[in-house]
Amino acid sequence: MWLTPEEQPAKTALKLWVTEKSNDFFLLQRRRGHGDTGGKFTGMLVGALDTVLDSNARVTPFRILLQVPGSAVTWIIASGASLEEVKSHWCWLEVNLLDSLHVFENKEDIASFVNGKIKGLIADESGGQQDPEGSREVAVRLEQRFGLPPCERLIAQLTCCLWKSHVPRQGWLYLTHHHLAFYSYLLGKEVKVLIPWAEVTDVERVCVGRVTEVLRVSSRGRHRDFSMFLDTHDAVATITQLADLTLRTVLPHAGLRTPHTLIHTPLTKRALEEHRLTQEVLCVFGLPRRESVCEVRVCALWTPHLRAHTHGTLYTTHSYLCFSSRDTGVCSLLIPLSEVLSVEKAESSSVLPDPVIVSVRGRRAFQMVGVCERDTLLHALTDRLRTLRWTHAIYKGQHTQHTPTISATPYYTFCYDTDGEADGSQRHVISTRPLISLHQSAMPKHKSALERRKEALWQEHFEEFGRGVHMFRTAHLHKLVAMGIPESLRAELWLTLSDAGSEMAWHPGYYAELVTRSLGEVTVATEEIERDLHRSLPEHPAFQSQSGIDALRRVLRAYAHHNTHIGYCQSMNIVASVLLLYAREEEVFWLLVTICERMLPDYFNRQVIGAQVDQSVFEALLCERVPDVGQTRAECALASVTLSWFLTLFLSALPLASGLVVLDSFLCRGAPAIFQLALCVTHTHTHTLTASTDEGHALMVLSSFLEQVRHDEEECVCLDDGAGPAEHTHITALLKEAYERFGDITATQLEQLRSRHRITVLQSHEDTTKENALRLVTPEVSLSVEELSDLYDFIKTEHLMSVYWGDGVCVSGVCSEGYQLDLPQFKSVYAALSPWEQGLHTDTVARRTFTLLDQSNNNLLTFTQIAHWLDTLYCEDLNVKIKWLYRLHIPPALMDSEDDSSPLKSPLLSTARPLQVDRPNGESGYEEQLKQMLKDLAKEKEKDADKPLPPMTQREFIQFCKTLSNMFHGDAEESELFQAIAMVTSLLLQIGEAGQRGPGAGPGAGPEGEVALCDWTVSLAQILASLLTEPALVSFFERPAHLRARIATATQRQYQHRAATLDLEHASG
């Protein structure tokens, strides 16, 4: 175990230790006398001394020392009771530390670095058992160092090194709910790194120089390397998980959902580990995404075909029992709880310890022995079975009245009006027969004989391994499937191997209800379905008739109604049409549900994120397994053709008979079968792809090869020159080679790669969204692309902080124009980026600005609207800025509900103050200049196509003046500005009163002044002309402002401001 470094002299008088291993910096020593068989006196003496000592004073027989060259002291850093235990620490030091220590020039730095690292490892080992007080101290340090609010949950704290300028900086890595933070204080230097998960673009393990096991975390613009983790694999998995989960949450336009296991569960390290296990089990066994692992037990399953117990692991979920053998590929078992009749314990014996008997339908039973905590497991399974049966009974009771009666004829009858048919009374039916049985001629004799041989092989397999969803799944099953499933058994085995049959049996009549509800429904999905109906296997007779088209329409419409999140996606029609050839409509519907939601999740949404992720995974595997192709430009050409391979499961690339065999393998083995086949096809044409200078030629070679791949029972077509070896023309041989060459690619490995590459794909979508938003707004504003980019990032951060630490009612989001902000978020942006300080009046002006910009009245502002607003304030001339301020103080920006002081109480706006302006050289007042300015503004107004703004009332004018006075507070020329605005205000009051009295009214017009006060108005032109007479005001509004500098300053304080706001809200609450 690791020990807190303890200093001791390098040389002692007593030679109590013998050095077993050594290098430049470390010594592995054995206690003299331990393990000695030669009977030396010193060894016997030390051994006797250790024996008579009290157990608390005894010394472990092995230890590791840190020895800095030239130092007079050493440090004990690890010890162990056995050589194997201490060797594991020695190997860790050699792999992670030894090469790194050579970069230090000062020996004191070496000792300080290693001792800090060892202390960090000790803290890591006990990190899961920290006391609450210690956890709170860590959280407080995190808040103080990085300015994060207290609600930012700390997930894990790891000790590691950050590499800066080829020098490791030992410190602490904090993994929080939404951020990665690193802190180091070593040798008088402080290092802080804070990276939001939303900015992480990649997480990978790389080798840099002489250092191994470097974890590289890439974000936009740079990457950071971390190393010397106690458990690098766990660190990579945790960091990848957190980045993936955060991006799912904060990038809603991607269409991905947060896993259900983490929706209502506090995010902790343990919750992440349980979720990781659940995802692995779901992928290996192809379970529904709603499942979660409940218990894990090591046991041994009786396997009759081996006539022995097979050791492995039992996983239980809410609806399944799953067994996987310890040796990969030997045996696996999937038992839906809906098939289980009873779970009982048998009498334990020395031969069969703690046995459990699981009885299922079909008079079969499975025996498991060596089940630890057997009683607890049985109690949980019994409760789960009882709940499942009760739920099923309720479901059947609710749907019995809606289930149609099945007559002796093999049809359910429904009325259905097709959009393109004139006869609306035509009857459409849900067929209970596969389409192939309605459109197939007599089978040739040689094919019939081959089918009978296949059926005989499958019957033998059923007798030995069982039949149904709970059959033993072994390598023998995979070999049979690769030969092609016989047509008579294809529908049954599709349902069995994919477990779609369990879902169908659990929801009787559900498909018929969906067909009824989807009749006459018109949505975007149904319109897309209608467009693609006649593009689905148009060469097959089954889809040249109306019955086949109608069956496909019903299945696709029913699925679109069933899963509105997906609706319909191109390539679903290809898969569904092939399934309809050999399975009934209801079976095809449940197979489609299984493929889209269990086996290929996220493949068939609007952005086909799942398919893009698998494309990225495929490219990574290509670089690793077929480097000659993966490192050439041919890889770019492959992306355009391989995407269709994955989306249609090779059905659009292969002849139908060969594509059916691939579909058989996919439903049996899942996504690994598609990856293995794609890699094998690429590997077969390595020479052609690397030598090709034309991307089109490379694609033509691949397409031509796949088009000529035939099933064994078909007549083989000779390949063109360069298309590949002849043995690859048979699909069975191709699948066999793919499995032999790339069979080590497992579902677990693919899921790990998907988690990493999903980050890259989601960030690529985010970059595309940003580019589109910038491209739309750039031609419309005078702001530079760099300013718009910084503004987009600032608005994005503001949105993300609301997602991170909001009160749960944040309505902002993402649209095609970028991020949208609600009023509270916009107030923060206004206070940070507005060039004019407003003081206590900031919130009021921000609200008016929001109201004025929100032209669609949806209480959200887009990035485009905010960019136009800032373009007005930073880039437009004085006239446009004053016009904007003017609009802020008239309806709809200024609401009647605002409470303001009476105008008569304001000394600034008192009409009793005379207008006195001293002009040099005896010039007259403002009248002549004002008339000329009004004429000039009138001419500009005629050129302006905008509708004239209404005049401003006295109440609105008061608010306008209040805004201006608040803008001038704290300015370097505050006194000049206040004097200027006082002059302008007095002038405008007199202009308003003059307009109120009318052209024929004298100075003492009537006693009805109070009533006439309501008609007091002043226009935009009059305000502009008055402001232009004061150089101080003109200089203020024409003063240049730099948006990028403002954004940079605001970005540095963005987190601190939000944390302070949350603290105030918490204190007031």
Side-chain angles (χ1 to χ4, degrees):
M1 62 179 177
W2 299 109
L3 301 176
T4 302
E6 179 182 347
E7 185 178 308
Q8 69 171 21
K11 296 182 179 180
T12 58
L14 297 177
K15 303 293 184 180
L16 301 180
W17 295 89
V18 179
T19 300
E20 297 284 336
K21 288 186 176 183
S22 65
N23 54 43
D24 293 342
F25 298 99
F26 300 103
L27 301 174
L28 191 157
Q29 296 184 334
R30 172 179 54 83
R31 185 76 166 175
R32 190 180 294 274
H34 182 81
D36 284 345
T37 57
K40 293 183 179 180
F41 176 75
T42 54
M44 296 173 61
L45 180 61
V46 175
L49 180 64
D50 290 341
T51 302
V52 300
L53 286 176
D54 182 72
S55 59
N56 294 327
R58 292 177 186 172
V59 179
T60 53
F62 297 94
R63 69 178 185 179
I64 298 177
L65 301 180
L66 167 65
Q67 178 179 265
V68 179
S71 176
V73 296
T74 59
W75 291 265
I76 304 175
I77 59 175
S79 66
S82 65
L83 183 60
E84 290 74 16
E85 179 185 358
V86 80
K87 268 188 176 181
S88 64
H89 293 349
W90 179 264
C91 292
W92 190 94
L93 292 171
E94 286 187 325
V95 171
N96 293 280
L97 277 185
L98 187 58
D99 290 336
S100 307
L101 298 181
H102 291 282
V103 302
F104 291 96
E105 298 179 357
N106 190 339
K107 62 183 181 181
E108 295 180 357
D109 294 347
I110 296 177
S112 177
F113 175 79
V114 174
N115 290 340
K117 186 64 189 176
I118 300 303
K119 291 177 182 178
L121 293 176
I122 296 172
D124 262 4
E125 288 181 336
S126 60
Q129 303 172 3
Q130 287 183 345
D131 61 304
E133 290 296 330
S135 300
R136 280 194 290 270
E137 290 179 5
V138 173
V140 169
R141 287 199 299 269
L142 178 65
E143 296 167 19
Q144 294 173 346
R145 290 169 178 171
F146 298 96
L148 298 175
C151 55
E152 178 73 357
R153 181 188 296 273
L154 178 65
I155 306 299
Q157 179 189 16
L158 308 174
T159 177
C160 67
C161 291
L162 170 67
W163 287 83
K164 290 179 68 69
S165 303
H166 306 289
V167 176
R169 305 287 301 184
Q170 172 63 34
W172 290 100
L173 187 67
Y174 302 95
L175 306 180
T176 72
H177 195 169
H178 302 108
H179 296 83
L180 178 150
F182 177 83
Y183 180 82
S184 172
Y185 187 82
L186 188 66
L187 307 177
K189 295 182 179 179
E190 185 179 54
V191 177
K192 289 184 181 180
V193 174
L194 183 66
I195 309 173
W197 294 124
E199 295 299 317
V200 173
T201 58
D202 196 8
V203 180
E204 57 181 337
R205 296 169 75 167
V206 297
C207 294
V208 180
R210 302 172 62 186
V211 182
T212 59
E213 298 295 328
V214 171
L215 169 58
R216 173 167 292 175
V217 179
S218 301
S219 57
R220 288 181 174 83
R222 65 177 303 177
H223 62 262
R224 295 171 177 86
D225 294 335
F226 301 91
S227 66
M228 304 183 195
F229 292 94
L230 181 62
D231 187 345
T232 305
H233 177 75
D234 180 70
V236 172
T238 304
I239 290 174
T240 304
Q241 268 188 294
L242 287 170
D244 181 23
L245 292 172
T246 300
L247 289 173
R248 285 173 175 266
T249 304
V250 303
L251 301 181
H253 59 280
L256 301 182
R257 297 177 176 179
T258 302
H260 75 284
T261 53
L262 298 175
I263 292 179
H264 302 295
T265 304
L267 197 59
T268 60
K269 184 68 164 58
R270 181 175 180 179
L272 289 176
E273 292 171 351
E274 292 176 352
H275 172 68
R276 198 185 310 158
L277 174 63
T278 294
Q279 291 301 111
E280 181 179 328
V281 172
L282 296 187
C283 290
V284 170
F285 294 97
L287 303 183
R289 296 289 145 173
R290 64 176 181 271
E291 296 293 320
S292 57
V293 175
C294 300
E295 294 93 14
V296 180
R297 297 287 189 274
V298 176
C299 63
L301 173 69
W302 173 253
T303 46
H305 57 280
L306 297 176
R307 292 177 175 80
H309 283 91
T310 300
H311 292 274
T313 306
L314 174 68
Y315 304 95
T316 68
T317 70
H318 295 294
S319 305
Y320 290 87
L321 294 176
C322 310
F323 177 85
S324 178
S325 60
R326 185 169 56 193
D327 299 327
T328 304
V330 173
C331 175
S332 64
L333 181 66
L334 178 66
I335 307 176
L337 289 184
S338 57
E339 295 288 315
V340 174
L341 299 177
S342 64
V343 181
E344 303 170 311
K345 62 179 180 180
E347 184 176 352
S348 183
S349 65
S350 58
V351 179
L352 302 176
D354 300 320
V356 173
I357 308 297
V358 180
S359 302
V360 299
R361 303 180 192 276
R363 298 181 179 180
R364 295 191 66 193
F366 300 92
Q367 181 193 69
M368 303 173 193
V369 299
V371 182
C372 58
E373 300 182 9
R374 179 179 60 166
D375 292 340
T376 304
L377 177 64
L378 289 176
H379 180 73
L381 288 176
T382 302
D383 288 346
R384 219 167 289 146
L385 278 172
R386 187 183 301 113
T387 303
L388 204 64
R389 290 167 183 167
W390 178 73
T391 304
H392 187 51
I394 293 178
Y395 177 86
K396 290 183 66 176
Q398 291 176 344
H399 290 75
T400 299
Q401 55 185 347
H402 303 294
T403 305
T405 304
I406 303 177
S407 62
T409 59
Y411 299 102
Y412 298 95
T413 302
F414 289 90
C415 292
Y416 182 84
D417 296 333
T418 6
D419 297 336
E421 295 175 343
D423 185 9
S425 61
Q426 182 177 356
R427 311 282 290 183
H428 283 254
V429 296
I430 296 180
S431 175
T432 58
R433 294 175 59 189
L435 293 180
I436 197 71
S437 64
L438 304 175
H439 301 274
Q440 187 180 41
S441 57
M443 185 179 297
K445 290 184 178 180
H446 72 279
K447 186 175 180 180
S448 177
L450 182 61
E451 285 287 302
R452 287 195 297 271
R453 287 199 298 272
K454 287 184 180 179
E455 291 172 0
L457 290 175
W458 275 99
Q459 291 300 330
E460 294 176 3
H461 179 83
F462 290 150
E463 292 175 1
E464 184 174 2
F465 297 93
R467 188 167 190 168
V469 67
H470 36 65
M471 71 168 68
F472 290 101
R473 306 182 185 218
T474 63
H476 185 264
L477 173 66
H478 298 162
K479 291 179 181 178
L480 280 181
V481 172
M483 294 170 57
I485 299 175
E487 293 184 0
S488 60
L489 297 174
R490 184 158 269 150
E492 174 192 344
L493 286 172
W494 279 353
L495 294 169
T496 296
L497 298 175
S498 66
D499 188 44
S502 300
E503 290 287 312
M504 184 175 69
W506 191 251
H507 300 89
Y510 179 63
Y511 173 68
E513 291 182 17
L514 288 176
V515 171
T516 304
R517 293 204 296 265
S518 63
L519 293 180
E521 188 180 56
V522 179
T523 62
V524 175
T526 58
E527 293 175 356
E528 294 175 350
I529 289 170
E530 293 298 326
R531 285 198 298 267
D532 288 346
L533 285 176
H534 294 279
R535 304 173 187 171
S536 310
L537 293 185
E539 70 283 355
H540 198 282
F543 295 97
Q544 295 172 356
S545 65
Q546 192 61 37
S547 60
I549 296 296
D550 291 338
L552 181 60
R553 176 188 288 113
R554 285 191 293 271
V555 170
L556 295 177
R557 278 177 170 257
Y559 184 80
H561 194 86
H562 160 75
N563 190 338
T564 56
H565 181 69
I566 293 178
Y568 171 77
C569 178
Q570 285 187 345
S571 74
M572 288 173 63
N573 59 317
I574 303 295
V575 177
S577 59
V578 174
L579 294 173
L580 277 169
L581 293 177
Y582 295 94
R584 297 183 294 111
E585 280 186 40
E586 185 177 14
E587 296 170 343
V588 170
F589 169 78
W590 287 110
L591 284 168
L592 198 60
V593 170
T594 301
I595 292 172
C596 295
E597 300 174 14
R598 292 166 59 170
M599 305 184 77
L600 297 175
D602 305 322
Y603 254 62
F604 300 99
N605 57 16
R606 290 292 174 184
Q607 288 78 21
V608 290
I609 294 294
Q612 292 185 46
V613 171
D614 276 2
Q615 282 294 290
S616 182
V617 171
F618 175 70
E619 291 171 6
L621 290 173
L622 201 62
C623 293
E624 177 186 346
R625 309 299 291 270
V626 194
D628 293 340
V629 176
Q631 297 174 3
T632 63
R633 67 176 186 172
E635 181 186 356
C636 301
L638 286 175
S640 59
V641 67
T642 54
L643 181 61
S644 65
W645 294 355
F646 284 82
L647 279 172
T648 64
L649 308 176
F650 279 93
L651 293 174
S652 63
L654 292 168
L656 179 59
S658 302
L660 284 168
V661 180
V662 175
L663 183 60
D664 297 340
S665 296
F666 168 74
L667 292 173
C668 176
R669 299 195 291 118
I674 304 299
F675 277 93
Q676 292 163 10
L677 179 58
L679 288 171
C680 185
V681 171
T682 309
H683 179 269
T684 302
H685 297 84
T686 299
H687 177 71
T688 304
L689 293 175
T690 53
S692 177
T693 58
D694 182 21
E695 295 181 356
H697 177 260
L699 298 181
M700 185 180 65
V701 169
L702 291 177
S703 300
S704 176
F705 170 77
L706 290 174
E707 288 172 359
Q708 297 178 18
V709 173
R710 293 292 182 267
H711 194 16
D712 291 345
E713 59 201 44
E714 296 181 317
E715 183 180 355
C716 185
V717 179
C718 295
L719 295 174
D720 297 335
D721 293 340
E727 63 267 18
H728 289 165
T729 58
H730 294 296
I731 186 61
T732 302
L734 193 60
L735 289 173
K736 180 181 178 182
E737 180 181 349
Y739 185 77
E740 291 175 350
R741 190 179 295 275
F742 304 105
D744 57 328
I745 298 176
T746 62
T748 301
Q749 180 186 359
L750 288 179
E751 185 60 23
Q752 293 172 354
L753 289 171
R754 282 169 173 168
S755 295
R756 174 196 160 192
H757 287 272
R758 191 181 295 113
I759 298 172
T760 305
V761 171
L762 290 177
Q763 292 290 18
S764 176
H765 274 262
E766 172 63 12
D767 292 340
T768 302
T769 302
K770 179 179 178 179
E771 291 171 3
N772 292 337
L774 297 184
R775 187 173 61 251
L776 287 173
V777 74
T778 299
E780 303 175 359
V781 298
S782 301
L783 297 172
S784 66
V785 176
E786 293 77 12
E787 289 174 325
L788 289 173
S789 178
D790 292 346
L791 175 61
Y792 186 95
D793 294 337
F794 186 84
I795 293 174
K796 175 183 175 180
T797 302
E798 191 66 36
H799 164 78
L800 294 181
M801 288 193 300
S802 296
V803 176
Y804 298 159
W805 311 311
D807 54 5
V809 296
C810 175
V811 296
S812 63
V814 186
C815 65
S816 59
E817 300 179 26
Y819 287 88
Q820 302 178 106
L821 301 184
D822 57 15
L823 178 57
Q825 295 168 337
F826 178 74
K827 286 182 177 180
S828 299
V829 173
Y830 184 93
L833 302 185
S834 174
W836 303 324
E837 300 293 340
Q838 302 290 338
L840 299 176
H841 204 50
T842 301
D843 275 4
T844 302
V845 180
R847 180 184 50 73
R848 293 176 187 165
T849 304
F850 184 89
T851 304
L852 189 58
L853 292 174
D854 184 20
Q855 299 176 357
S856 58
N857 295 322
N858 62 351
N859 295 321
L860 290 174
L861 294 185
T862 65
F863 167 72
T864 302
Q865 292 169 322
I866 297 174
H868 277 285
W869 163 64
L870 289 175
D871 182 62
T872 299
L873 301 188
Y874 281 88
C875 301
E876 295 292 350
D877 58 17
L878 180 145
N879 292 353
V880 179
K881 294 178 182 178
I882 298 302
K883 183 179 179 180
W884 176 259
L885 285 173
Y886 185 92
R887 294 178 62 194
L888 288 179
H889 296 85
I890 60 175
L894 182 65
M895 302 179 183
D896 295 335
S897 58
E898 291 190 15
D899 296 326
D900 303 307
S901 58
S902 171
L904 298 179
K905 297 179 182 179
S906 175
L908 178 64
L909 301 179
S910 174
T911 57
R913 179 181 302 174
L915 177 59
Q916 296 179 357
V917 182
D918 296 330
R919 288 291 178 183
N921 303 324
E923 292 182 7
S924 60
Y926 284 108
E927 287 79 4
E928 290 79 11
Q929 297 181 26
L930 185 58
K931 289 179 182 178
Q932 184 62 37
M933 291 177 183
L934 289 176
K935 291 179 181 179
D936 295 339
L937 290 173
K939 292 179 181 178
E940 293 180 7
K941 186 177 179 182
E942 290 177 359
K943 300 177 182 178
D944 190 5
D946 293 341
K947 183 180 178 181
L949 295 175
M952 183 179 286
T953 65
Q954 191 175 48
R955 170 183 173 273
E956 296 163 355
F957 180 67
I958 294 169
Q959 291 299 309
F960 179 80
C961 294
K962 181 186 293 186
T963 299
L964 291 178
S965 63
N966 279 281
M967 288 167 55
F968 303 150
H969 275 298
D971 193 89
E973 301 176 357
E974 181 177 353
S975 58
E976 292 84 354
L977 291 171
F978 276 121
Q979 183 178 1
I981 195 62
M983 303 293 288
V984 171
T985 302
S986 298
L987 173 61
L988 290 172
L989 284 172
Q990 290 190 1
I991 292 174
E993 290 177 355
Q996 177 185 4
R997 291 193 295 267
E1008 300 183 9
E1010 292 184 1
V1011 178
L1013 194 63
C1014 297
D1015 299 325
W1016 188 99
T1017 60
V1018 65
S1019 67
L1020 171 62
Q1022 292 167 336
I1023 292 177
L1024 268 173
S1026 302
L1027 290 174
L1028 288 172
T1029 61
E1030 291 295 334
L1033 295 177
V1034 174
S1035 175
F1036 176 83
F1037 284 107
E1038 291 185 346
R1039 185 183 302 165
H1042 304 285
L1043 180 58
R1044 290 200 75 183
R1046 186 89 180 190
I1047 293 176
T1049 303
T1051 301
Q1052 295 176 356
R1053 302 195 302 261
Q1054 202 168 8
Y1055 273 31
Q1056 287 79 359
H1057 284 176
R1058 178 52 66 97
T1061 302
L1062 291 173
D1063 289 341
L1064 289 175
E1065 292 176 356
H1066 179 72
S1068 61

